[in-house]
Amino acid sequence: MKGTVKICYMVLLIVIMSHDTFGLNITVGVLPQSIHIVQAVRKILPDLNLDLIYDFKLTGETFYDRIETVHSKLKSQNIHAVIGPYDETVAIATESVGVVYMATTPVSRKSTEFMVQMIPSVADYCRALLALVIKNKWTKISVFYDSDAGVELLEKLTTNHMFVVRAWKLQVPATRSEVREALVKMRKFLVETSIVFCENKENINHLLTEARDLAMLSTSPYQWMFNDPGTGPNDRIFYEWIIYEPGDQFSNLLTKYQEIAVNFTVFNVLEFDSFNNSYAPDHDRMTFALMADAFILLDETRKTLNPKNKLEKRKQRKSFIGKIKKNKLTGSTGDLRLNAEGKRSNIQINLTAITGPSYFLKGIWKSNPEEFETTLQLFPDSIDPNRTIPFPLRDRTVRVVTILERPFTMLKRDHESKRGIDKFEGFAVDLIEAIAKKLQFKYELYLVHDRKFGSRLADGSWNGMIGELLAGNASMSVAPLSINSQREEAVDFTKPFMTRYITVLLRIPRRETSYFEFLNPLSPIVWICTLGAFLVVSIVLYGLERIGLKAKNPAKISMRESFWFIFGSLLQGNTDASPSTVPGRILTSAWWFFALILISSYTANLAAFLTVKKINTPIKSVTDLAQQTKIKYGTVADSGVMTFFKNTNIEHFSKMWAQMSEIEPDSLVQNTTVGYEKVKNEDYAFFWDTTVNRYKTIKDCNVMEIGPPFDPKGFGIGVPPGATYREELSMAILRLSDTGKLHELENKWWGSRNCPDLSKSSSDETSELQIDNVAGVFFILVGGICIAALVCLGEYLAHMIINAAKLGKPQAKPKEKENFL
């Protein structure tokens, strides 16, 4: 309201001085665009001794017709001055007849002799902006403009090589998509200081609205605002907006963000006031103040004129414009002194800082043409350091990008019948839900279109979720997105909500079953030695029995019975014959002891082989993979794990990267789903995050995780570069960790593994015998039956043949006997 008070004070001063009616009456033509505001000015300046002509119409089909119309009007009405917005036809006509033209809007052509520019020139604003940039030592600046005035600013800024300027020209009016694209590009270049040099109000509105949606408008409550470098915990100010406001028509746009902390610096001639003058509610304060100053300047100059001077000759009118240019008045818009070109010379531009709920005078820029210098004075801050700044995204809906990765984000079984976030479940979904409740914002969850986490491409752009953040499509990413140096250069991350390592997921080797598995407890050499011992002992026993008995007594055990006795003893069977000599019995005792130990060992080993599942994997550790070629290995392309292998200097990992990328490039898969399918169906080892691999081993007992874990990194929530809400998200994560919520979510989605540990041969981890394990025993039994039947059949046939032979021989033998006799 200070500007309004100042205007009222000037009005009172003019009313007091207006009682002096000395001077010449002059006629002022009012342009059609200014009739209503001039009438409002006359209400607060009723004693102005000026004759106003309102029927000043700019008619004509062509440019020259309009000039002729204005020229005729000036001559016929004997007009001494014209007041209103700049119009080129009026400027040409007034110059031709020597009529003063008081222009209240920027002049687009070279100033003429009878031209008075009431509004400060664009060049003055450009010099003031340049002074602020140099004062703050900014190195990177972005400029948004929509008119030729912006080109003049760029020319001014680019003459100084101490900083980099990136500019975007907006159409009039610009679309929101065009504005958003420009803001996203600005964010990619990590430019945090922007100069808005737009004259179109709709463009200003689009720019601020899209910046708000992209979280590029608000300042983090953990950042100090308007601090000199080194005075706060962090001297970097996020997203400072310098706004060119020549007409005071944008105040309602700049003050509507009271619920967040913004960092606006407005350049304006008037002291910033969000209330329009009540006399002209349809016009901005700047136009009203310029019009009032123009009338004051004309009226005060009128008083200095000789009443006899009718201003009919050009020479007299030159004297009139000369006295106007030599005035030393002060009006609502400051010092009204003009230079020889009719431009304002002693300009004062106010720098108003808008912080959201409040604003204050931040500084003043002054030009002094007499001393050929300008000054920029910055004032101490007027911000309460203990003020509470709300979360920038509070009560807003933000887009969150994620990726399908068990158990972080998964589609529900009935997802086809659900919409929005109800389609998803998982650790990441529960995490963003808890954070959103704590920080009081809403969110929309969507899947990244290319199903990639994010890596830098050859042209410098990014794909995956990182690309979504940089493109402005998402305000944050919630997924198992590991934090590495390349990604940190592109986007910002919160504090990690989980630490991950890299391990190998491998299919459990399929145990080969054999029908003759009962032979496995003893090695082939033991079986051969046992068979040899059986033969040797049988022969030796028969020899001892033959030698140990007296010749008069026949041996009680034959060679066949000796073999049968030794075989029966081995299988703990009974036989009719047994050794009767002392040496034979000593040998038999030794054989029994041998058989006892052998059978006991065999029985014990057989029980373990047939009932306990113990898998001997060919890969014991990660390094074993690098030393073999039978099992392929790989990871997801364009992932953080791939980046580790690509950039590592560790020898065996570098060797693995060469194998994956050059020798077997098909080992790099497009996503984790393909990787896990290859693990289950092929001899393939998959390198991935231990959190996901551990979940796979919990859900699928046919896969196992091999360590040792390596390359520890954190999973963080990704946000666009310079996002002012990163610290709040980090604090929310820390609070969830302190309250045990993160641990609770981990237990919910990982839980405990119910699969047996196949790396241990515990008696608790046994299984019942299957037919495949003991089928060989049945084969031996069936084989014995078949062999016995064949032998029986052979004996029967042999006996039949022998009997048949015997029946035929007695008829011939008696004859032979008779002949012999």
Side-chain angles (χ1 to χ4, degrees), residues 282-302:
D282 297 330
H283 299 274
D284 58 77
R285 290 175 54 241
M286 185 64 177
T287 303
F288 187 87
L290 288 173
M291 194 68 70
D293 286 349
F295 278 116
I296 292 172
L297 187 55
L298 287 174
D299 192 61
E300 289 300 308
T301 306
R302 176 196 62 80

Side-chain angles (χ1 to χ4, degrees), residues 307-353:
K308 297 181 180 180
N309 187 353
K310 302 301 182 180
L311 298 181
E312 295 178 354
K313 297 181 179 180
R314 190 175 185 89
K315 182 178 181 180
Q316 295 172 338
R317 296 190 176 189
K318 282 186 178 182
S319 175
F320 178 46
I321 187 62
K323 289 184 178 183
I324 292 177
K325 292 180 179 179
K326 292 179 180 180
N327 85 91
K328 295 183 180 180
L329 298 175
T330 300
S332 301
T333 58
D335 196 327
L336 299 180
R337 282 181 288 183
L338 305 171
N339 59 18
E341 297 179 351
K343 298 179 180 180
R344 301 279 291 271
S345 57
N346 286 44
I347 299 298
Q348 175 178 308
I349 296 178
N350 299 313
L351 281 66
T352 304

Side-chain angles (χ1 to χ4, degrees), residues 2 74-75 125 153 214 224 243-244 251 271 281 299 334 453 488 545 578 580 628 676 678 697 700 723:
K2 294 180 179 179
L74 295 174
K75 297 290 286 184
Y125 284 97
L153 173 64
L214 294 173
W224 288 57
I243 301 175
Y244 164 67
S251 58
E271 293 184 13
D299 192 61
F453 288 86
E488 188 70 44
E545 287 296 306
S578 60
S580 57
Q628 57 83 48
Y676 292 129
K678 289 175 70 70
T697 60
D700 189 351

